[in-house]
Amino acid sequence: MEQQAIQSIVNEVVSRLKGISVKTLSIPMAVSARHCHLSKSDLEALFGEGYELTKKADLSQPGQFAANETITIAGPRGSLEKVRILGPARNMTQVEVSQTDSVKLGLKPPLRESGDIKGSAPITLVGPKGSLYKKEGLIIAQAHIHMTPEDADHFTVENGEYVKVEVDGERPIILGKVLIRVSPRYKLEMHVDTDEANAGFITGKTIGRLIKYEEASL
């Protein structure tokens, strides 16, 4: 393709991007504190046979809730108490912490997408009726954006794609390698952990702006 034609295409793309309002690129954000998801068998091991989680509050993602129940998680260096359980019960147990939390625990959890726990860090779980040592299951969750297929079409992104998110405010930052997760079950929202939130003064009222990697290079 001739250089003139390439430049014409680039100019057209830039013009279109400039014509997109910030509002159309806006992503509501939420701060995800340390928490755990338990399998049914592990829930019963920690709370007793036949135990069912009780709802404290609904979460933004449909069908998900914060339970009244909490556990203690422990590592070789220390422990963290009152770690909230999120429901409903899943087919596997996963504990999500921040990098700061991992230092206190004395463990080195990998940065992973939720659900990818193979080869992750071990963790001890302590409940009112028992304790468990899990050989894997402790992760630092990859910053991600939940969206519906319609949202993905709007933002012209695909499931599994990585984007950047710009956050304005008192301490402006750009978060890179933010994972796109698409499902008709989701509601549009970006999740960051407490370390990321503290770095950018991010709260539950913060709005980010999605930037595709190819757009950033124009």
Side-chain angles (χ1 to χ4, degrees):
M1 185 179 295
E2 295 182 359
Q3 182 62 36
Q4 184 176 358
I6 295 174
Q7 188 60 50
S8 176
I9 293 172
V10 170
N11 290 341
E12 181 180 353
V13 171
V14 171
S15 296
R16 288 181 179 179
L17 290 174
K18 288 181 178 179
I20 298 175
S21 69
V22 172
K23 184 177 180 180
T24 64
L25 298 171
S26 296
I27 302 289
M29 305 183 74
V31 182
S32 183
R34 68 179 77 106
H35 63 272
C36 67
H37 305 275
L38 295 178
S39 67
K40 179 64 175 175
S41 60
D42 286 352
L43 173 65
E44 292 186 344
L46 296 173
F47 287 86
E49 185 176 354
Y51 193 88
E52 298 284 344
L53 292 172
T54 59
K55 184 186 297 185
K56 177 181 175 67
D58 287 317
L59 299 178
S60 59
Q61 296 306 308
Q64 312 245 338
F65 63 90
N68 288 301
E69 292 78 9
T70 64
I71 60 172
T72 295
I73 60 174
R77 185 178 295 172
S79 62
L80 297 168
E81 299 180 347
K82 296 183 178 180
V83 177
R84 184 73 56 190
I85 301 171
L86 302 189
R90 294 190 175 184
N91 60 0
M92 63 180 178
T93 291
Q94 174 179 290
V95 182
E96 300 176 35
V97 296
S98 69
Q99 176 66 18
T100 299
D101 290 334
S102 70
V103 172
K104 182 174 182 179
L105 293 169
L107 294 166
K108 295 183 178 180
L111 183 66
R112 294 281 183 85
E113 177 183 358
S114 179
D116 181 11
I117 65 169
K118 186 176 181 179
S120 58
I123 188 70
T124 297
L125 314 178
V126 182
K129 298 292 185 179
S131 63
L132 290 170
Y133 174 76
K134 306 294 291 185
K135 293 182 178 179
E136 59 186 18
L138 181 69
I139 66 169
I140 297 172
Q142 180 82 45
H144 57 278
I145 302 173
H146 291 285
M147 58 174 65
T148 65
E150 292 75 20
D151 293 324
D153 288 342
H154 173 74
F155 289 104
T156 64
V157 295
E158 298 179 352
N159 185 60
E161 182 177 346
Y162 288 101
V163 298
K164 295 181 180 181
V165 174
E166 182 179 48
V167 183
D168 292 325
E170 195 171 352
R171 183 184 284 172
I173 62 170
I174 294 179
L175 296 168
K177 203 175 181 182
V178 178
L179 179 66
I180 298 295
R181 301 184 64 188
V182 181
S183 170
R185 304 189 311 272
Y186 291 155
K187 177 182 176 182
L188 181 64
E189 188 174 63
M190 177 175 174
H191 289 177
V192 297
D193 69 21
T194 51
D195 284 351
E196 292 162 326
N198 289 337
F201 289 5
I202 296 169
T203 70
K205 298 180 180 180
T206 301
I207 298 296
R209 186 171 70 88
L210 187 148
I211 304 171
K212 292 184 61 115
Y213 272 94
E214 57 266 32
E215 293 173 8
S217 63
L218 293 177

